[in-house]
């Protein structure tokens, strides 16, 4: 009897320790969070064997392709035109400070030379090279940080069981499996990524939403990551408020606090650094038929709005199976870079400004300067609420001409000559007293 009581007590204590795990981010981690908050703009890359079919990264599931058939794809994946240098230069010229690339998407195919599974780019494709290694080396050289997107959901692994909402019967897997074995495999693959590719800026998880209430062993996985690379930031696209052990919060295709896409009904905004991701056209992975590219104006305004919401913008491209990025996307990124050369100062290193987003735009702030980004306004004067600080001067950021302003009980009225209004972003720099 006493023995039983003792065991029960022990189990209770162990459970308590688990439930009360309190994550203490390392000093490097905190420093990297700060860097992340200042970085503002990153390149998202969805690339895998699915690009061969030119129908997005969900093609296996959407076309219900059995694993046996899908496994024929790697033999056609030969991205001989892949040039890590060109990709990194493109990102840098666009004003981006980091890259987040899919190490493994839901189809389970590893884009690096994994030792725990031969279902990878080196062992199964005629190309036979580790693209993540090449990219990591180039990023290091060019001072661009590299994150790995890693799908927890896996449509191929037999032990991903019980199955979630996707990757069902059509895959041809047996109706049994051991989820713990799958998670061991996932941890082993993450260990490879965190030990063989230099400093990894972070792991960007996706897929928990496939089995919302499963035990994903987050504590074990997150502890492993923080132990292997204490500086690496952990984030997860579970569409919920952050869990213990995470270092940043992400939003998919929506600004923080919005839910236009339906992904974020449970997204409570936490205190962690934020990021929102969006596609450059309508697809994540390469889609041959998708020509609904966003405009320069839409993309710049999304970046500016994200900054106003204190979030980074992670903008996605889906490279083609030959390893090149679509010329239309290269051009759009270049245009964003050109704009940032002129206006970057009003975004990089800033935080969300003193005013919450308005119909007309957003504000960003750095020390005693507030940047008012007018994204939609047609009149010659704009009344903004006051936030209790006095204004010393107001200047049109573009050409440094003074802007007339009036502070009274109604707020601050800015008078902007109509011809100075810019249809993309009219930035007024306010210097505070
Ligand atoms: O299913 C994925 C999708 O393919 C893509 O990777 C996006 C990126 O945020 N996330 C998932 C959907 O939530």
């Amino acid at each position: 009897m006493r023995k039983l009581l003792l065991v029960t007590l022990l189990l209770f204590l162990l459970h308590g320790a688990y439930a009360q795990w309190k994550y203490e981010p390392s000093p490097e981690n905190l420093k990297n969070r700060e860097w992340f908050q200042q970085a503002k703009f990153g390149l998202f890359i969805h690339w895998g064997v699915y690009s061969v079919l030119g129908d997005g990264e969900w093609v296996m599931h959407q076309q219900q392709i059995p694993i046996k058939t899908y496994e024929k794809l790697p033999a056609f994946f030969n991205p001989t035109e892949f040039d890590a240098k060109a990709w990194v230069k493109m990102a840098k010229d666009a004003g981006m400070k980091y890259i987040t690339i899919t190490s493994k998407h839901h189809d389970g195919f590893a884009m690096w030379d994994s030792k725990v599974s031969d279902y990878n780019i080196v062992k199964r494709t005629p190309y036979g090279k580790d693209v993540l290694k090449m990219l990591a080396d180039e990023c290091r050289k060019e001072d661009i940080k590299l994150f790995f997107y890693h799908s927890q959901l896996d449509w191929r692994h037999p032990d991903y069981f019980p199955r979630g909402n996707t990757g069902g019967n059509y895959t041809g897997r047996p109706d049994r499996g051991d989820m713990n074995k799958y998670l061991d495999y996932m941890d082993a693959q993450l260990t490879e990524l965190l030990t063989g590719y230099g400093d990894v800026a972070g792991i960007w998880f996706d897929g928990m939403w496939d089995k919302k209430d499963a035990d994903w062993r987050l504590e074990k996985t997150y502890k492993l990551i923080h132990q292997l690379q204490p500086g690496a930031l952990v984030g997860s696209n579970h569409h919920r408020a952050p869990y213990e052990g995470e270092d940043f919060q992400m939003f998919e295709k929506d600004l923080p606090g919005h839910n236009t896409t339906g992904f974020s009904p449970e997204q409570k905004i936490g205190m962690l650094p934020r990021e929102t991701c969006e596609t450059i056209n309508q697809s994540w992975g390469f889609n041959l038929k998708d020509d609904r590219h966003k405009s320069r104006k839409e993309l710049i305004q999304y970046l500016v709005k994200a900054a106003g919401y204190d979030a980074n913008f992670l903008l996605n491209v889906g490279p083609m199976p030959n390893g090149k990025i679509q010329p239309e996307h290269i051009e759009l990124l270049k245009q964003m870079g050109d704009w940032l050369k002129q206006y970057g100062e009003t975004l990089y290193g800033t935080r969300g400004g003193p005013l919450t987003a308005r119909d007309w735009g957003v504000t960003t702030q750095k020390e005693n300067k507030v940047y008012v980004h007018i994204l939609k306004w047609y009149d010659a004067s704009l009344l903004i609420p006051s936030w209790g600080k006095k204004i010393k001067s107001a200047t049109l950021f573009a050409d440094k001409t003074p802007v007339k302003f009036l502070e009274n009980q109604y707020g601050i009225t800015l008078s902007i000559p109509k011809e100075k209004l810019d249809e993309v972003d009219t930035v007024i720099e306010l210097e505070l007293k």
Side-chain angles (χ1 to χ4, degrees), residues 66-353:
I67 290 168
K68 268 208 165 126
T69 312
Y70 194 87
E71 280 182 345
K72 293 178 183 164
L73 269 188
F76 300 109
F77 187 60
N78 193 15
T80 51
E81 304 288 305
F82 168 69
D83 179 355
K85 215 177 169 56
W87 282 18
V88 173
K89 182 169 183 328
M90 179 194 73
K92 254 187 131 167
D93 289 348
M96 292 158 154
K97 306 292 182 199
Y98 60 98
I99 294 178
T100 304
I101 186 166
T102 44
S103 42
K104 182 192 87 158
H105 206 267
H106 311 331
D107 64 359
F109 188 78
M111 291 295 278
W112 77 99
D113 189 10
S114 178
K115 304 291 181 263
V116 296
S117 158
D118 74 345
Y119 197 52
N120 73 57
I121 188 163
V122 174
K123 316 263 175 23
R124 295 273 183 116
T125 74
Y127 187 61
K129 288 185 238 172
D130 184 335
V131 289
L132 296 193
K133 186 87 180 63
M134 290 188 264
L135 193 61
D137 291 346
E138 186 60 23
C139 282
R140 198 167 317 114
K141 252 191 246 157
E142 292 298 326
D143 202 20
I144 288 283
K145 299 209 188 228
L146 185 63
F147 289 71
F148 292 127
Y149 164 113
H150 206 78
S151 175
Q152 290 152 303
L153 155 62
D154 196 304
W155 291 330
R156 179 175 178 273
H157 201 286
D159 282 313
Y160 184 89
F161 192 86
R163 308 225 198 290
N165 296 321
T166 64
N169 286 342
Y170 73 87
T171 59
R173 285 178 287 186
D175 273 339
R176 61 181 174 280
D178 178 351
M179 188 66 183
N180 270 312
K181 272 199 195 149
Y182 167 70
L183 291 171
D184 289 342
Y185 162 81
M186 191 184 80
D187 287 350
Q189 288 209 319
L190 287 168
T191 303
E192 293 179 346
L193 291 168
L194 289 154
T195 51
Y197 295 80
D199 276 351
V200 172
I203 301 292
W204 204 106
F205 283 112
D206 201 354
M208 265 175 65
W209 39 261
D210 185 57
K211 293 204 272 184
K212 273 189 164 188
D213 301 316
D215 177 6
W216 287 94
R217 281 195 351 204
L218 290 187
E219 182 180 337
K220 189 166 180 200
T221 300
Y222 289 178
K223 277 184 175 166
L224 173 77
I225 299 171
H226 293 310
Q227 179 214 328
L228 291 173
Q229 292 215 17
L233 304 180
V234 171
S236 178
N237 191 26
H238 39 52
H239 307 154
R240 287 174 167 171
Y243 284 73
E244 199 65 28
E246 294 174 7
D247 304 296
F248 66 105
Q249 180 172 17
M250 57 183 73
F251 300 83
E252 180 172 344
K253 289 173 108 35
D254 254 317
L255 293 162
H258 293 255
N259 182 27
T260 57
T261 47
F263 288 129
S264 311
E266 304 172 40
Q267 273 274 39
K268 288 205 187 59
I269 304 178
M271 297 304 288
L272 296 179
R274 306 168 190 166
E275 181 190 69
T276 171
C277 59
E278 189 37 295
T279 51
I280 200 161
N281 46 7
Q282 307 300 311
S283 320
W284 298 105
F286 173 59
N287 188 323
L288 190 62
K289 289 196 285 187
D290 184 353
D291 57 3
R292 289 164 61 204
H293 314 291
K294 297 187 176 68
S295 67
R296 165 183 181 270
K297 177 177 169 181
E298 283 174 302
L299 292 170
I300 293 173
Q301 291 200 340
Y302 202 79
L303 171 67
V304 172
K305 279 189 202 163
Y309 276 83
D310 208 19
N312 290 359
F313 179 26
L314 183 64
L315 174 59
N316 181 78
V317 295
M320 299 184 284
N322 64 359
K324 287 216 176 246
I325 291 166
Q326 286 178 250
E328 308 89 318
H329 297 168
I330 297 183
E331 178 54 29
L332 279 166
L333 293 180
K334 185 183 169 308
Q335 291 175 7
M336 293 187 80
D338 290 344
W339 185 87
L340 276 163
K341 279 193 192 98
Q342 193 184 356
Y343 290 98
E345 194 185 321
T346 70
L347 297 182
Y348 298 124
T350 65
R351 299 292 305 271

Side-chain angles (χ1 to χ4, degrees), residues 348-415:
Y348 298 124
T350 65
R351 299 292 305 271
L355 301 179
T356 51
R358 310 276 143 168
D359 274 357
W360 50 260
V362 296
T363 55
T364 53
Q365 177 161 18
K366 191 170 10 185
E367 289 145 22
N368 71 330
K369 285 192 179 147
V370 169
Y371 301 100
V372 180
H373 297 264
I374 308 172
L375 304 174
K376 202 168 77 180
W377 192 257
Y378 312 102
D379 301 320
S381 67
L382 173 68
L383 173 67
I384 65 174
S386 192
W387 61 95
K389 294 266 186 205
K390 290 274 169 224
I391 312 293
K392 187 164 153 200
S393 65
T395 329
L396 188 73
F397 186 82
D399 63 7
K400 310 294 173 220
T401 53
V403 168
K404 282 196 194 129
F405 66 96
L406 173 72
E407 282 182 291
N408 58 24
Q409 73 267 38
Y410 305 111
I412 307 159
T413 307
L414 300 168
S415 304

Side-chain angles (χ1 to χ4, degrees), residues 15-23 219 244:
H15 177 77
Y18 176 81
Q20 281 164 22
W21 173 49
K22 183 85 193 76
Y23 164 52
E219 182 180 337
E244 199 65 28

